[in-house]
Amino acid sequence: MSTLYERAYVVTMDEAGAEHEDGWVLAGDDGRIEAVGGGEPPAAERRVDLGGALVTPGLVNTHHHLYQTLTRARAQQADLFTWLRELYPVWAGIDAEAEYAAARTGLAELALSGCTTVFDHHYVFPRGRDGLIEAEVQAARELGVRLIAARGSMDLGESDGGLPPDELVEEPDAILADTERLAALADDQIGIAVAPCSPFSVTRELMRRSAELARRLGLQLHTHLAETVEEEDYCRQLYGCRPVEYLEGVGWLEGDVWCAHCVHLSPGDVAAFAEHGVGVAHCPTSNLRLGAGVAPVRELLDAGVRVGLGVDGSASNERGDLGLEVKQALLVARGRGGAEALTARDALGLATAGGARVLGRDDLGSLEPGKRADVAVWSLDGLELGGAADPVAGLVFSGPHRVDRLVVGGEEVVRDGHLVRAEEDEIAREHRRQAERFAP
Ligand SMILES: [Zn+2]
């Protein structure tokens, strides 16, 4: 059945930046957008009057660790390495039941913040605990959001000079075989990516072999990179080069790669990312929380680098709200480069079309015929948006907001600010029960 969403301010985020004041979006029964426009709407089997609300593409989260909702507000004054050393042993308790509860919470939070596509980077696989990726896939299917689940990995333990404890690292052969097995889970709603964790927890051999596997299977590649100055020192000690040189050395300076953070990039690094098409998941709140610094987003955009936003895991950004990251990205860019560094539309663009480009998805990120019908509807009636004549700037500057309605592939996932297919209270209750197992 085709559905017409009408009487709205529609922000398409297409190449031309088209916006329709008296706008509508027509979703076809194949879960894709049939038409978008302003003025007289076309005929449809079902019509939904949005009463003057703001419509944007569904937001795209390009970096997260859903399991970390179980361990919020820990290591409160720690930098990255201290924070990791404190949390690795706690995370070693993860199993499928806890992962499922964590994923439901993280995905629900993100959906209620307007997010239709979530990339999750899971890299903690304690030996003998199966079904972790399957648990988050199940949670996404139940809630109705898109999930790109990464089979992350760590194979460089403490005794070999790595940061994670030896009990949390795996053998490359087992990692790659499991990744290939999980690739079969992919369909219209679920994607799989290949994501060795970071330079300080993964061997060069695993980086190279992961890239070979991903390219053979046609999957995207992801890792953490250049997050802190300590990581750069670590790279020099262990590999004798800087993080981006390390990336080049393992065959990862390519257009099927995106990296989280990229806070500490030289002008030469930015140029290399632009030349080779490497994307960036900018996670400003997490970077501030861990005192890591601020990524050079204006410079990356000016160079033509693909940039999206990520909330990062809830142990380093306790709030899984992508709208908050939109505002945060705008604020930190301006803190770094002045009041003209990023506009409200630039910031929203990072979370929509930018995120889709980073994930290598040309079917997401904007409202155009043929794209997936992934739509966020924002009420403009609340206290916090009164007096904002420009609804886009109002949404970004006064964010974050709970989304009023969220549509994924033409199906409603949120209506009147509540999940359609699950009970928020039940998710929170079950999550608290699981989180108690990880309590200090
Ligand atoms: Zn991360």
Side-chain angles (χ1 to χ4, degrees):
M1 187 165 63
S2 61
T3 301
L4 179 75
Y5 294 95
E6 60 181 333
R7 290 222 310 135
Y9 188 103
V10 176
V11 178
T12 67
M13 285 292 161
D14 66 7
E15 282 286 328
E19 298 181 7
H20 306 288
E21 205 164 324
D22 181 21
W24 44 263
V25 178
L26 180 63
D29 54 12
D30 59 354
R32 290 183 183 260
I33 293 170
E34 258 175 40
V36 184
E40 195 55 40
E45 291 159 285
R46 175 175 170 248
R47 300 172 80 114
V48 178
D49 183 345
L50 296 179
L54 174 65
V55 168
T56 68
L59 309 185
V60 178
N61 182 30
T62 62
H63 187 69
H64 203 352
H65 312 286
L66 290 165
Y67 73 93
Q68 291 182 10
T69 58
L70 296 162
T71 56
R72 285 184 166 118
R74 308 281 277 265
Q76 293 171 17
Q77 271 85 41
D79 62 25
L80 176 69
F81 284 3
T82 314
W83 176 88
L84 281 169
R85 285 195 181 103
E86 181 169 335
L87 283 163
Y88 282 137
V90 183
W91 294 336
I94 194 80
D95 59 18
E97 204 183 358
E99 177 67 25
Y100 173 68
R104 287 212 301 164
T105 287
L107 292 171
E109 251 193 296
L110 279 163
L112 291 167
S113 82
C115 192
T116 48
T117 298
V118 179
F119 166 73
D120 188 58
H121 186 183
H122 190 89
Y123 57 84
V124 178
F125 293 87
R127 289 183 199 113
R129 314 273 172 71
D130 294 330
L132 296 170
I133 299 292
E134 290 89 336
E136 59 181 83
V137 166
Q138 184 189 342
R141 290 201 194 281
E142 286 172 7
L143 289 167
V145 297
R146 283 186 209 290
L147 174 72
I148 319 292
R151 203 313 182 174
S153 53
M154 301 193 290
D155 74 332
L156 186 65
E158 241 171 342
S159 60
D160 291 319
L163 200 73
D166 289 352
E167 57 168 329
L168 278 185
V169 303
E170 303 172 273
E171 291 298 325
D173 286 344
I175 291 164
L176 296 166
D178 196 44
T179 307
E180 187 154 8
R181 179 185 70 81
L182 289 164
L185 292 177
D187 60 16
D188 253 19
Q189 186 185 349
I190 305 297
I192 298 292
V194 183
C197 189
S198 63
F200 49 84
S201 60
V202 172
T203 62
R204 276 183 285 202
E205 180 207 345
L206 181 58
M207 288 296 283
R208 287 198 193 95
R209 291 181 63 191
S210 294
E212 282 167 23
L213 177 73
R215 283 163 191 157
R216 176 159 66 76
L217 300 177
L219 304 177
Q220 300 285 301
L221 283 160
H222 179 64
T223 193
H224 292 95
L225 198 85
E227 182 171 355
T228 64
V229 283
E230 290 83 7
E231 179 193 321
E232 187 164 326
D233 294 343
Y234 196 100
C235 263
R236 282 189 198 281
Q237 273 177 28
L238 206 62
Y239 305 114
C241 62
R242 299 179 51 256
V244 174
E245 293 164 344
Y246 161 83
L247 204 67
E248 185 173 17
V250 291
W252 275 58
L253 216 50
E254 298 287 343
D256 53 0
V257 171
W258 87 103
C259 300
H261 304 305
C262 302
V263 172
H264 300 280
L265 297 182
S266 69
D269 295 336
V270 172
F273 272 33
E275 187 189 343
H276 298 283
V278 177
V280 171
H282 176 40
C283 307
T285 302
S286 170
N287 297 149
L288 295 175
R289 156 71 153 89
L290 295 173
V294 174
V297 165
R298 185 69 261 166
E299 290 86 337
L300 287 164
L301 292 173
D302 288 345
V305 174
R306 299 178 289 139
V307 182
L309 296 182
V311 297
D312 204 359
S314 296
S316 65
N317 170 12
E318 278 70 4
R319 184 73 188 269
D321 186 312
L322 203 60
L324 175 61
E325 291 316 297
V326 171
K327 179 176 175 174
Q328 194 79 274
L330 179 137
L331 296 178
V332 297
R334 291 184 178 195
R336 217 185 126 92
E340 294 185 356
L342 212 64
T343 69
R345 284 166 175 79
D346 288 339
L348 187 62
L350 295 178
T352 52
R357 276 196 293 275
V358 163
L359 296 180
R361 293 289 297 257
D362 59 8
D363 58 336
L364 304 175
S366 61
L367 303 177
E368 297 177 77
K371 300 241 181 179
R372 306 274 179 185
D374 290 6
V375 182
V377 180
W378 309 89
S379 169
L380 300 175
D381 298 336
L383 297 172
E384 66 279 8
L385 279 154
D390 177 346
V392 180
L395 185 83
V396 173
F397 289 147
S398 72
H401 304 273
R402 179 171 278 231
V403 78
D404 184 56
R405 191 185 290 258
L406 193 72
V407 180
V408 180
E411 302 285 333
E412 288 188 6
V413 169
V414 175
R415 196 183 301 133
D416 298 326
H418 296 286
L419 299 169
V420 173
R421 305 178 185 196
E423 278 291 336
E424 203 175 323
D425 290 350
E426 186 270 324
I427 291 174
R429 255 197 324 275
E430 181 55 25
H431 183 259
R432 284 202 168 75
R433 208 171 68 77
Q434 290 293 332
E436 276 172 20
R437 295 169 46 201
F438 298 82

